[in-house]
Coordinates of all heavy atoms in Angstrom, one line a residue:
M1 N 0.9 -1.1 0.0 CA 0.0 0.0 0.0 C 0.9 1.3 0.0 O 1.8 1.3 0.8 CB -0.9 0.0 1.2 CG -1.6 1.3 1.6 SD -2.6 1.2 3.1 CE -1.3 1.4 4.2
I2 N 0.5 2.2 -0.9 CA 1.3 3.4 -0.9 C 0.9 4.3 0.4 O -0.3 4.5 0.6 CB 1.1 4.2 -2.2 CG1 1.5 3.4 -3.4 CG2 1.7 5.6 -2.1 CD1 3.1 3.3 -3.4
V3 N 1.9 4.7 1.1 CA 1.7 5.5 2.3 C 2.0 7.0 1.9 O 1.2 7.9 2.3 CB 2.6 5.1 3.4 CG1 2.6 6.1 4.5 CG2 2.3 3.7 3.8
C4 N 3.0 7.2 1.1 CA 3.3 8.6 0.7 C 3.1 8.7 -0.8 O 3.9 8.2 -1.5 CB 4.8 8.9 1.1 SG 5.3 10.5 0.5
S5 N 2.0 9.4 -1.0 CA 1.7 9.5 -2.5 C 2.7 10.5 -3.2 O 2.8 10.4 -4.4 CB 0.2 9.9 -2.7 OG -0.1 11.1 -2.0
C6 N 3.2 11.5 -2.4 CA 4.1 12.4 -3.1 C 5.4 11.8 -3.7 O 5.9 12.2 -4.7 CB 4.4 13.5 -2.1 SG 3.1 14.6 -1.6
H7 N 5.8 10.8 -2.9 CA 7.1 10.1 -3.3 C 6.9 8.6 -3.7 O 7.8 7.9 -3.8 CB 8.0 10.2 -2.2 CG 8.5 11.6 -1.9 ND1 9.4 12.3 -2.7 CD2 8.1 12.6 -1.0 CE1 9.6 13.6 -2.3 NE2 8.7 13.8 -1.3
A8 N 5.6 8.2 -3.7 CA 5.3 6.8 -4.1 C 6.0 5.8 -3.2 O 6.6 4.8 -3.7 CB 5.5 6.5 -5.6
I9 N 5.9 6.0 -1.9 CA 6.6 5.1 -0.9 C 5.7 4.3 -0.3 O 4.6 4.8 0.3 CB 7.4 6.0 0.1 CG1 8.4 6.9 -0.5 CG2 8.1 5.0 1.1 CD1 9.5 6.2 -1.4
S10 N 5.8 3.0 -0.3 CA 4.9 2.0 0.3 C 5.2 1.7 1.8 O 6.3 2.0 2.3 CB 5.0 0.7 -0.5 OG 6.3 0.1 -0.3
D11 N 4.2 1.1 2.4 CA 4.5 0.7 3.8 C 5.6 -0.4 3.9 O 6.4 -0.3 4.7 CB 3.2 0.2 4.5 CG 2.6 -1.0 3.8 OD1 2.7 -1.1 2.6 OD2 2.1 -1.9 4.5
R12 N 5.6 -1.2 2.9 CA 6.7 -2.2 2.8 C 8.1 -1.6 2.8 O 9.0 -2.0 3.4 CB 6.4 -3.1 1.6 CG 7.4 -4.2 1.5 CD 7.1 -5.2 0.3 NE 8.1 -6.1 0.2 CZ 8.2 -7.0 -0.8 NH1 7.2 -7.1 -1.7 NH2 9.1 -8.0 -0.8
A13 N 8.2 -0.5 1.9 CA 9.5 0.1 1.8 C 9.9 0.7 3.2 O 11.1 0.6 3.6 CB 9.5 1.1 0.8
L14 N 8.9 1.3 3.9 CA 9.2 1.9 5.2 C 9.6 0.9 6.2 O 10.5 1.0 6.9 CB 8.0 2.6 5.7 CG 7.6 3.9 4.8 CD1 6.2 4.5 5.2 CD2 8.6 5.0 4.9
R15 N 8.9 -0.2 6.1 CA 9.2 -1.4 7.1 C 10.6 -1.9 6.8 O 11.3 -2.3 7.8 CB 8.1 -2.4 7.0 CG 6.7 -2.0 7.6 CD 5.7 -3.1 7.4 NE 4.4 -2.6 7.5 CZ 3.7 -2.1 8.5 NH1 4.3 -2.0 9.7 NH2 2.5 -1.6 8.4
E16 N 10.8 -2.1 5.6 CA 12.2 -2.7 5.3 C 13.3 -1.7 5.7 O 14.4 -2.2 6.2 CB 12.3 -2.9 3.7 CG 11.4 -4.1 3.3 CD 11.5 -4.3 1.8 OE1 12.0 -3.5 1.1 OE2 10.8 -5.4 1.4
A17 N 13.2 -0.4 5.5 CA 14.2 0.5 5.8 C 14.3 0.5 7.4 O 15.5 0.5 8.0 CB 13.8 1.9 5.4
A18 N 13.2 0.4 8.2 CA 13.2 0.5 9.6 C 13.8 -0.9 10.1 O 14.6 -0.9 11.0 CB 11.9 0.6 10.2
A19 N 13.5 -2.0 9.5 CA 14.1 -3.2 9.8 C 15.6 -3.4 9.5 O 16.3 -4.1 10.3 CB 13.3 -4.4 9.1
A20 N 16.1 -2.5 8.7 CA 17.5 -2.5 8.4 C 18.3 -1.7 9.4 O 19.5 -1.6 9.4 CB 17.7 -1.9 6.9
G21 N 17.5 -1.2 10.4 CA 18.2 -0.4 11.5 C 18.1 1.1 11.3 O 18.8 1.8 12.1
L22 N 17.5 1.6 10.3 CA 17.5 3.1 10.2 C 16.5 3.6 11.2 O 15.5 3.1 11.5 CB 17.0 3.4 8.8 CG 17.9 3.0 7.6 CD1 17.3 3.5 6.2 CD2 19.3 3.4 7.8
S23 N 16.9 4.8 11.8 CA 16.1 5.6 12.6 C 14.9 6.1 11.8 O 14.9 6.2 10.6 CB 16.9 6.7 13.4 OG 17.2 7.7 12.4
H24 N 13.9 6.7 12.6 CA 12.8 7.4 11.8 C 13.4 8.6 11.0 O 13.0 8.7 9.8 CB 11.8 8.0 12.9 CG 10.8 8.8 12.3 ND1 10.8 10.2 12.4 CD2 9.8 8.5 11.5 CE1 9.8 10.7 11.7 NE2 9.1 9.8 11.2
H25 N 14.3 9.3 11.5 CA 15.0 10.5 10.8 C 15.6 9.9 9.5 O 15.5 10.5 8.4 CB 15.9 11.2 11.6 CG 16.6 12.4 11.0 ND1 15.9 13.5 10.7 CD2 17.8 12.4 10.5 CE1 16.8 14.4 10.1 NE2 17.9 13.7 9.9
E26 N 16.3 8.8 9.7 CA 17.0 8.2 8.5 C 16.1 7.7 7.5 O 16.3 7.8 6.2 CB 18.0 7.1 9.0 CG 19.2 7.7 9.8 CD 19.9 6.7 10.5 OE1 19.3 5.6 10.9 OE2 21.1 6.9 10.7
V27 N 15.0 7.0 7.9 CA 14.0 6.5 7.0 C 13.5 7.6 6.2 O 13.3 7.5 4.9 CB 12.9 5.7 7.7 CG1 11.7 5.3 6.9 CG2 13.4 4.4 8.5
V28 N 13.1 8.7 6.8 CA 12.6 9.9 6.1 C 13.5 10.4 5.1 O 13.2 10.7 4.0 CB 12.0 11.0 7.1 CG1 11.7 12.2 6.4 CG2 10.9 10.4 7.9
A29 N 14.8 10.5 5.6 CA 15.9 11.1 4.7 C 16.1 10.1 3.5 O 16.3 10.6 2.4 CB 17.2 11.3 5.5
V30 N 16.1 8.9 3.7 CA 16.4 7.9 2.6 C 15.2 7.8 1.6 O 15.4 7.8 0.4 CB 16.8 6.6 3.1 CG1 16.8 5.5 2.1 CG2 18.1 6.7 3.8
T31 N 14.0 7.7 2.1 CA 12.9 7.5 1.3 C 12.2 8.8 0.7 O 11.6 8.8 -0.3 CB 11.8 6.6 2.0 OG1 11.3 7.5 3.0 CG2 12.3 5.4 2.5
G32 N 12.4 9.8 1.5 CA 11.7 11.1 1.2 C 10.2 11.2 1.7 O 9.6 12.2 1.5
A33 N 9.8 10.1 2.3 CA 8.4 10.0 2.8 C 8.2 11.1 3.9 O 9.0 11.2 4.8 CB 8.1 8.7 3.4
G34 N 7.1 11.9 3.6 CA 6.8 12.9 4.6 C 7.5 14.3 4.3 O 7.3 15.3 5.0
T35 N 8.4 14.3 3.3 CA 9.1 15.5 3.1 C 8.5 16.6 2.1 O 9.1 17.6 1.8 CB 10.5 15.2 2.6 OG1 10.4 14.6 1.4 CG2 11.3 14.4 3.7
D36 N 7.3 16.2 1.6 CA 6.7 17.2 0.6 C 5.5 17.8 1.3 O 5.6 18.7 2.0 CB 6.3 16.5 -0.7 CG 6.1 17.3 -1.8 OD1 5.9 18.6 -1.5 OD2 6.3 17.0 -3.0
C37 N 4.3 17.3 1.1 CA 3.1 17.9 1.7 C 3.0 17.7 3.2 O 2.3 18.3 3.9 CB 1.9 17.5 1.0 SG 1.3 15.8 1.4
G38 N 3.6 16.5 3.6 CA 3.6 16.2 5.1 C 2.3 15.4 5.5 O 2.2 15.1 6.6
C39 N 1.4 15.1 4.7 CA 0.2 14.6 5.0 C 0.5 13.1 5.6 O -0.4 12.6 6.3 CB -0.8 14.4 3.8 SG -1.4 16.0 3.3
C40 N 1.5 12.5 5.2 CA 1.7 11.1 5.6 C 2.6 11.0 6.7 O 2.9 9.9 7.3 CB 2.4 10.3 4.4 SG 4.0 11.0 4.0
S41 N 3.1 12.1 7.3 CA 4.1 12.1 8.4 C 3.8 11.2 9.6 O 4.6 10.5 10.1 CB 4.5 13.5 8.7 OG 5.0 14.2 7.7
E42 N 2.5 11.4 10.0 CA 2.1 10.7 11.2 C 2.1 9.2 10.9 O 2.5 8.4 11.7 CB 0.7 11.1 11.7 CG 0.3 10.5 13.0 CD -1.0 11.2 13.5 OE1 -1.2 12.4 13.2 OE2 -1.8 10.4 14.1
T43 N 1.6 8.8 9.8 CA 1.5 7.3 9.4 C 2.9 6.7 9.1 O 3.2 5.7 9.7 CB 0.7 7.2 8.1 OG1 -0.6 7.7 8.3 CG2 0.6 5.7 7.7
V44 N 3.8 7.6 8.5 CA 5.2 7.1 8.4 C 5.8 6.9 9.8 O 6.5 5.8 10.0 CB 6.0 8.2 7.7 CG1 7.5 7.8 7.7 CG2 5.5 8.3 6.2
A45 N 5.6 7.8 10.8 CA 6.2 7.7 12.1 C 5.5 6.4 12.8 O 6.4 5.7 13.5 CB 5.9 8.9 13.0
E46 N 4.3 6.1 12.6 CA 3.7 5.0 13.2 C 4.3 3.7 12.7 O 4.6 2.8 13.4 CB 2.2 5.1 13.0 CG 1.5 6.1 13.8 CD 0.0 6.2 13.4 OE1 -0.5 5.5 12.6 OE2 -0.7 7.1 14.0
I47 N 4.4 3.7 11.4 CA 4.9 2.4 10.8 C 6.4 2.2 11.2 O 6.7 1.0 11.5 CB 4.9 2.5 9.2 CG1 3.4 2.5 8.8 CG2 5.6 1.4 8.5 CD1 3.1 2.7 7.3
V48 N 7.2 3.1 11.2 CA 8.6 3.0 11.6 C 8.7 2.5 13.1 O 9.4 1.6 13.5 CB 9.4 4.3 11.4 CG1 10.8 4.2 12.1 CG2 9.5 4.5 9.9
A49 N 7.8 3.1 13.9 CA 7.8 2.9 15.3 C 7.4 1.4 15.5 O 7.9 0.6 16.4 CB 6.8 3.7 16.1
E50 N 6.3 0.9 14.8 CA 5.9 -0.4 14.8 C 7.0 -1.4 14.4 O 7.2 -2.4 15.0 CB 4.7 -0.7 13.9 CG 3.4 -0.1 14.4 CD 2.3 -0.1 13.3 OE1 2.5 -0.8 12.3 OE2 1.2 0.5 13.5
S51 N 7.7 -1.1 13.4 CA 8.8 -1.8 12.9 C 9.9 -2.0 13.9 O 10.6 -2.9 13.9 CB 9.2 -1.3 11.5 OG 8.2 -1.3 10.6
H52 N 10.1 -1.0 14.7 CA 11.3 -1.0 15.6 C 10.9 -1.7 16.8 O 11.8 -2.2 17.6 CB 11.7 0.4 16.0 CG 12.5 1.1 14.9 ND1 12.5 2.6 14.9 CD2 13.2 0.7 13.9 CE1 13.3 2.8 13.8 NE2 13.8 1.8 13.2
G53 N 9.6 -1.8 17.1 CA 9.2 -2.6 18.3 C 9.3 -1.7 19.5 O 9.6 -0.5 19.4
P54 N 9.0 -2.2 20.7 CA 9.0 -1.4 21.9 C 10.3 -0.9 22.3 O 11.3 -1.7 22.2 CB 8.4 -2.3 23.0 CG 8.6 -3.7 22.5 CD 8.6 -3.6 20.9
C55 N 10.4 0.3 22.7 CA 11.7 0.9 23.2 C 11.8 0.6 24.7 O 10.9 0.6 25.5 CB 11.6 2.4 22.9 SG 13.1 3.2 23.6
R56 N 13.0 0.3 25.1 CA 13.2 0.0 26.6 C 14.1 1.0 27.3 O 14.5 0.8 28.4 CB 13.9 -1.3 26.7 CG 13.1 -2.5 25.9 CD 13.0 -3.7 26.7 NE 12.4 -4.8 26.0 CZ 11.1 -5.0 26.0 NH1 10.3 -4.3 26.7 NH2 10.6 -6.0 25.3
A57 N 14.2 2.2 26.7 CA 14.9 3.3 27.3 C 14.1 3.8 28.6 O 12.9 4.0 28.5 CB 15.1 4.4 26.3
D58 N 14.8 4.0 29.7 CA 14.2 4.4 30.9 C 13.6 5.8 30.9 O 12.5 6.0 31.4 CB 15.2 4.2 32.1 CG 15.4 2.8 32.5 OD1 14.4 2.0 32.2 OD2 16.4 2.5 33.1
P59 N 14.3 6.7 30.4 CA 13.8 8.1 30.7 C 12.7 8.7 29.8 O 12.3 9.8 29.9 CB 15.1 9.0 30.4 CG 15.9 8.2 29.3 CD 15.6 6.7 29.7
C60 N 12.1 7.8 29.0 CA 11.1 8.3 28.0 C 9.7 8.0 28.4 O 9.0 7.5 27.8 CB 11.4 7.7 26.6 SG 13.0 7.9 26.0
L61 N 9.3 8.5 29.6 CA 8.0 8.4 30.1 C 7.1 9.0 29.2 O 7.2 10.1 28.6 CB 7.9 8.9 31.5 CG 8.7 8.3 32.6 CD1 8.6 9.1 33.9 CD2 8.3 6.9 32.8
G62 N 5.9 8.3 28.9 CA 4.9 8.8 28.0 C 5.1 8.5 26.5 O 4.2 8.8 25.8
C63 N 6.3 8.0 26.2 CA 6.6 7.7 24.8 C 5.7 6.5 24.4 O 5.6 5.5 25.1 CB 8.0 7.3 24.7 SG 8.4 6.7 23.0
P64 N 5.1 6.6 23.2 CA 4.2 5.5 22.7 C 5.0 4.2 22.4 O 4.4 3.1 22.3 CB 3.6 6.1 21.5 CG 4.4 7.2 21.0 CD 5.0 7.7 22.3
R65 N 6.3 4.3 22.3 CA 7.2 3.2 22.0 C 7.7 2.5 23.2 O 8.4 1.5 23.2 CB 8.3 3.5 21.1 CG 7.9 3.8 19.7 CD 9.2 3.8 18.8 NE 9.9 2.6 18.9 CZ 11.3 2.6 19.0 NH1 12.0 3.7 19.1 NH2 11.9 1.5 19.2
R66 N 7.4 3.1 24.4 CA 7.9 2.6 25.7 C 7.3 1.2 25.9 O 6.2 0.9 25.8 CB 7.4 3.5 26.8 CG 8.0 3.0 28.2 CD 7.6 4.1 29.2 NE 8.0 3.6 30.6 CZ 9.2 3.6 31.1 NH1 10.2 4.2 30.4 NH2 9.5 3.2 32.2
G67 N 8.3 0.3 26.1 CA 7.9 -1.1 26.3 C 7.9 -1.5 27.8 O 8.1 -0.7 28.6
G68 N 7.6 -2.7 28.0 CA 7.6 -3.2 29.4 C 9.0 -3.4 30.0 O 9.9 -3.3 29.2
A69 N 9.1 -3.8 31.2 CA 10.3 -4.0 31.9 C 11.1 -5.2 31.3 O 10.8 -6.0 30.6 CB 10.1 -4.2 33.4
Ligands
FES101 S1 2.0 12.2 1.0 FE1 4.0 12.0 1.8 S2 4.9 13.9 1.7 FE2 2.9 14.1 0.6

């Protein structure tokens, strides 16, 4: 499914980039997703966060990626 219509970037491409270890910022920089009209930015962030799985960093209270202990 195309997530970013401005750059024709699919959810699969975003997931593959995130799975390769790229940060959200890096995924955006490499794919261009979210860098034009910005309509897809929230969805791009959600897909990348899902692909990275839960974060276990301690100081990020309130972060939607915060995982369990
Ligand atoms: S739809 Fe992604 S930048 Fe426009």
Side-chain angles (χ1 to χ4, degrees):
M1 169 183 76
I2 295 297
V3 173
C4 178
S5 55
C6 290
H7 295 278
I9 303 299
S10 67
D11 61 323
R12 182 177 176 181
L14 295 171
R15 291 181 203 286
E16 287 176 354
L22 299 183
S23 68
H24 173 256
H25 179 77
E26 292 168 331
V27 170
V28 169
V30 167
T31 64
T35 61
D36 199 337
C37 75
C39 291
C40 64
S41 295
E42 188 172 327
T43 304
V44 169
E46 289 171 1
I47 289 171
V48 172
E50 287 172 9
S51 299
H52 284 156
C55 176
R56 306 223 184 268
D58 283 338
C60 303
L61 295 173
C63 175
R65 286 191 57 226
R66 184 173 170 81

